[in-house]
Amino acid sequence: MDTMSLLMQGFAVALTPESIMFAVIGAILGTLIGALPGLGPANGVAILIPLAFSLGLSPTSSLILLTSVYAGAMYGGRISSILLNIPGDEPAMMTCLDGYPMAVKGKAAEALAISAIASFIGSFIATIGLVILAPILAKFALRFGPSEYFALFALAFATLGGITGKNQFKTLMAAAIGLMIASVGIDISTGVQRFTFGTLELFEGVDFIIAIVGLFAISELLFFLERHAGDGLKQIAVNKLKLSAKDIIQVLPASFRGAVLGFVAGVLPGAGASLGSFVSYTLEKRFSDKGEFGKGDPRGVAAPEAGNNGAASGALVPMLTLGVPGSGTTAVLLAMLVSLNISPGPMLFQQNADLVWGVIAAMFVGNFVLLLLNIPMVGIFVKLLSIPPKYLMPIVTLIASVGIYSVSHSALDLYFMVGFGVLGYIFRKIDIPLVPIILGMLLGPEMEKSLRHALVLSDGDWTVLFNSGLSIGLWTVAMLGLILPMIIGPMVRAKMARAKISEKDD
């Protein structure tokens, strides 16, 4: 069956009243979460995963809800960037450069509308790219054997730090911690207990959903209260929208260019939305007439917003086709799939075609929903920023805690969640990233299975890991992914810092 037929079947799933309802709910919740400085899409998805379980949603409904939250949070991140000059998440940092100056000039409504349109274009084009590229990559991945999969997992860990990561050593150390946690429990092959300390609850290992909620949601509560405890954040008032067709046409080229660049950055391992946003803004500034970049140029809002939303959808390509997440949020979504006993990878498009194409079709629907919500209802989302965090964050934590308890009805899981939250808070204080820990927990068991399978087939000959051109190519890319960020990363981060400083000076 060709791609268009499968996509039409996906729309049959996505356009049911239930799917549309969850897409709208996810879009609203995601935008609200994205508007809060520091929360971001990964935390939003992590908070709502237990809720999806406790409501007993089907796999399709759960994924439509969470992917809509993901997209909504990417949209919402621009609100605090423009009105407060505080990025909702890291990819939204570049939006501050021209979004906040536009707001200072009394054009906050125009900046918010332009960013919503650019976000729509970026996400829509990237979803088209997902439709085209994902089936091709899935067919190619069918050639993978255990040796190739082991090399692929090594590639995923090698590129975790990405170009914008600060410290490759800390990233690898975090991944090692995740792999260690993944080894807790009974060895499936030998039946030997590993790191259980005689505790019955640890025989099945550590539930990565609990770890995700603790590391992201609970640690964010502690961090958020530390930074913003007290009154709501002061913001620039939103003026009445005065956006003409000419203004929209002016930013369309920047939006389309940013969408393509962002999608490529999202698909590439280790790049992600931050790089997509940065490259889109930098190239737009370099190759366009200089205009008022850094002083409130609408193209300086459109390009990075299209870039980071394009990268967000692009990051789903490796997750769905290879089972390797392309970003922190897709790592959380991967955990959701695994917990539903759905194995991402090349067979996903054959064994769960209705699910995957239904979710992809729902992304198209969700983009239109987000565009329709984010322009007329932006005033409602803006008012959320005035709610004091000391009231808001405990509510978020309560939702996560109730969700965790409703799944297992175990008080011990709540203790684990709090423990991971404290651990996440400490790690963030010393700049140890959390996503590699989650990725280690998710990929560790499959990586171990691939290694054992390869060694069994080769009668213990470890050179089997390097005996095909495909595995050698993956190992080569892994080495480049580990080394190049150490060389290129400091230059990219320095340019991003200079761009931010020059904007402040202006």
Side-chain angles (χ1 to χ4, degrees), residues 264-290:
V264 173
V267 173
L268 292 176
S274 297
L275 185 65
S277 174
F278 171 71
V279 171
S280 299
Y281 181 88
T282 303
L283 292 182
E284 191 63 33
K285 182 178 180 180
R286 178 171 296 180
F287 294 110
S288 301
D289 60 279
K290 295 302 179 183

Side-chain angles (χ1 to χ4, degrees), residues 167-465:
N167 191 313
Q168 288 289 88
F169 174 75
K170 288 183 177 180
T171 300
L172 293 176
M173 184 174 69
I177 293 172
L179 289 171
M180 290 170 60
I181 296 173
S183 67
V184 174
I186 296 178
D187 189 329
I188 297 176
S189 300
T190 64
V192 174
Q193 296 180 27
R194 301 188 298 193
F195 308 113
T196 61
F197 306 104
T199 304
L200 183 63
E201 287 81 358
L202 292 177
F203 281 14
E204 294 183 358
V206 178
D207 191 333
F208 42 75
I209 298 297
I210 296 171
I212 286 172
V213 174
L215 288 172
F216 285 94
I218 304 302
S219 71
E220 186 60 41
L221 167 71
L222 300 174
F223 230 79
F224 199 90
L225 290 176
E226 179 187 44
R227 290 177 299 182
H228 302 300
D231 298 328
L233 300 171
K234 294 182 180 180
Q235 63 198 47
I236 294 175
V238 179
N239 59 297
K240 185 177 180 181
L241 180 62
K242 299 176 182 179
L243 193 66
S244 65
K246 182 181 178 181
D247 296 329
I248 297 174
I249 293 172
Q250 180 188 6
V251 300
L252 286 181
S255 300
F256 282 109
R257 285 190 289 266
V260 174
L261 290 170
F263 175 72
V264 173
V267 173
L268 292 176
S274 297
L275 185 65
S277 174
F278 171 71
V279 171
S280 299
Y281 181 88
T282 303
L283 292 182
E284 191 63 33
K285 182 178 180 180
R286 178 171 296 180
F287 294 110
S288 301
D289 60 279
K290 295 302 179 183
E292 295 289 321
F293 278 93
K295 300 179 181 179
D297 194 307
R299 293 169 298 177
V301 175
E305 279 301 307
N308 70 45
N309 280 272
S313 296
L316 290 169
V317 174
M319 187 204 80
L320 293 173
T321 58
L322 302 175
V324 175
S327 67
T329 311
T330 51
V332 179
L333 288 172
L334 177 64
M336 180 68 179
L337 282 172
V338 174
S339 63
L340 291 169
N341 294 318
I342 297 171
S343 300
M347 297 305 295
L348 179 65
F349 284 78
Q350 297 182 16
Q351 297 174 347
N352 301 94
D354 289 344
L355 169 70
V356 67
W357 287 107
V359 171
I360 291 173
M363 291 174 64
F364 283 107
V365 176
N367 280 323
F368 283 100
V369 171
L370 282 164
L371 183 64
L372 294 174
L373 286 175
N374 271 265
I375 293 181
M377 292 180 60
V378 70
I380 297 174
F381 297 133
V382 166
K383 288 181 179 179
L384 182 70
L385 296 176
S386 62
I387 299 176
K390 62 183 179 181
Y391 301 128
L392 187 64
M393 293 307 294
I395 295 174
V396 172
T397 307
L398 178 64
I399 293 172
S401 302
V402 170
I404 286 290
Y405 185 78
S406 65
V407 173
S408 63
H409 302 285
S410 171
L412 183 63
D413 286 349
L414 294 178
Y415 292 128
F416 270 121
M417 181 186 73
V418 173
F420 275 111
V422 174
L423 186 66
Y425 175 77
I426 294 171
F427 281 172
R428 291 177 65 179
K429 277 290 190 180
I430 56 179
D431 289 327
I432 293 178
L434 304 180
V435 171
I437 299 176
I438 298 300
L439 200 60
M441 294 180 64
L442 288 172
L443 300 185
E446 292 299 320
M447 191 175 187
E448 183 181 5
K449 287 179 186 177
S450 297
L451 176 61
R452 284 183 166 177
H453 191 188
L455 292 177
V456 167
L457 292 176
S458 65
D459 199 23
D461 182 8
W462 63 269
T463 59
V464 70
L465 301 175

Side-chain angles (χ1 to χ4, degrees), residues 12-185:
V13 174
L15 292 176
T16 61
E18 181 184 11
S19 296
I20 293 175
M21 179 187 70
F22 285 119
V24 172
I25 293 173
I28 294 173
L29 291 176
T31 305
L32 292 173
I33 291 169
L36 295 172
L39 272 183
N43 289 309
V45 175
I47 290 166
L48 293 176
I49 281 180
L51 187 62
F53 276 116
S54 62
L55 293 175
L57 300 183
S58 67
T60 302
S61 297
S62 298
L63 286 173
I64 288 175
L65 172 66
L66 295 178
T67 51
S68 297
V69 170
Y70 181 19
M74 296 303 295
Y75 271 67
R78 77 199 198 285
I79 296 175
S80 59
S81 297
I82 292 170
L83 298 182
L84 301 172
N85 204 25
I86 301 174
D89 55 2
E90 187 179 349
M93 184 183 74
M94 302 307 293
T95 307
C96 295
L97 300 183
D98 283 279
Y100 187 69
M102 283 187 69
V104 171
K105 292 179 180 179
K107 297 182 178 181
E110 287 79 0
L112 290 167
I114 288 170
S115 64
I117 294 169
S119 296
F120 169 80
I121 292 173
S123 187
F124 192 83
I125 290 178
T127 306
I128 294 174
L130 171 63
V131 170
I132 296 171
L133 184 59
I136 297 173
L137 190 57
K139 289 180 180 178
F140 176 75
L142 290 173
R143 303 179 185 179
F144 285 22
S147 300
E148 287 76 18
Y149 266 109
F150 183 79
L152 179 66
F153 293 140
L155 168 63
F157 288 117
T159 57
L160 267 177
I163 300 297
T164 56
K166 295 180 180 179
N167 191 313
Q168 288 289 88
F169 174 75
K170 288 183 177 180
T171 300
L172 293 176
M173 184 174 69
I177 293 172
L179 289 171
M180 290 170 60
I181 296 173
S183 67
V184 174

